[in-house]
Amino acid sequence: MTRATQISRVVFGLLVLATFFAFFVAQRLKNTDPLVYSVSIKRYISPNADGFDDKGRVRFRTKEDDVVTVEVVDRTGRAVRALADDERLSAGPQTFYWNGRYRGFVDSDGNKNRGAAVADGAYRVRITLRNSGRTFVPDQFFVVDS
């Protein structure tokens, strides 16, 4: 048996062993208690200021106090709006609203700009718990339809 064959067998054996242990680590992670639960999203948003479905709502509960960032992300995972940015939240129910628009601003003359409406489509919420080092993206999503 050549040296190359021996090395390839050892590498193969190590890969099998690593896969075996990774399976058990993944199972253990699946069985840990979630830090974010009871997620509810009022999904349909029509950001046209007609008073009907002008904003959506996301509600969830956190298990522990933490510093939280809540972002609305597009299909590629790019954040289009931050609903909370490194805010210290107590454990319990949380509620945030999104108007289907990018972040508004105040111009140099003091005039308020509500921000441009995002493109029609589906948007997810990404909840990051900084102290716990975990990020959660619920299966539910917002649907923006102007």
Side-chain angles (χ1 to χ4, degrees):
M1 186 174 351
T2 67
R3 183 157 175 81
T5 304
Q6 289 176 337
I7 291 173
S8 63
R9 287 183 178 178
V10 168
V11 169
F12 179 75
L14 290 172
L15 287 174
V16 169
L17 191 61
T19 303
F20 179 76
F21 285 115
F23 172 78
F24 287 105
V25 169
Q27 292 303 315
R28 184 173 180 191
L29 285 174
K30 282 200 270 183
N31 292 329
T32 59
D33 288 336
L35 297 175
V36 175
Y37 58 99
S38 298
V39 177
S40 168
I41 293 179
K42 179 185 176 263
R43 350 179 1 166
Y44 296 102
I45 303 172
S46 178
N48 57 8
D50 66 356
F52 183 71
D53 287 336
D54 285 340
K55 62 183 175 181
R57 178 194 70 233
V58 58
R59 288 184 180 160
F60 58 90
R61 296 180 73 82
T62 53
K63 192 168 202 154
E64 302 171 357
D65 297 355
D66 211 322
V67 177
V68 177
T69 297
V70 180
E71 297 171 306
V72 178
V73 297
D74 63 13
R75 289 186 183 270
T76 65
R78 182 179 59 94
V80 298
R81 178 77 183 266
L83 305 179
D85 191 12
D86 282 342
E87 288 185 27
R88 171 147 297 284
L89 298 179
S90 323
Q94 316 297 332
T95 303
F96 295 93
Y97 295 93
W98 181 46
N99 61 1
R101 296 177 175 277
Y102 294 102
R103 184 179 191 100
F105 61 92
V106 177
D107 66 17
S108 60
D109 296 328
N111 299 318
K112 290 184 179 177
N113 183 316
R114 293 181 1 176
V118 299
D120 288 356
Y123 294 85
R124 295 203 178 275
V125 175
R126 179 170 55 210
I127 304 165
T128 303
L129 304 161
R130 186 173 57 171
N131 295 344
S132 303
R134 299 195 38 204
T135 297
F136 177 71
V137 179
D139 291 337
Q140 302 168 25
F141 52 89
F142 290 116
V143 175
V144 176
D145 184 9
S146 299

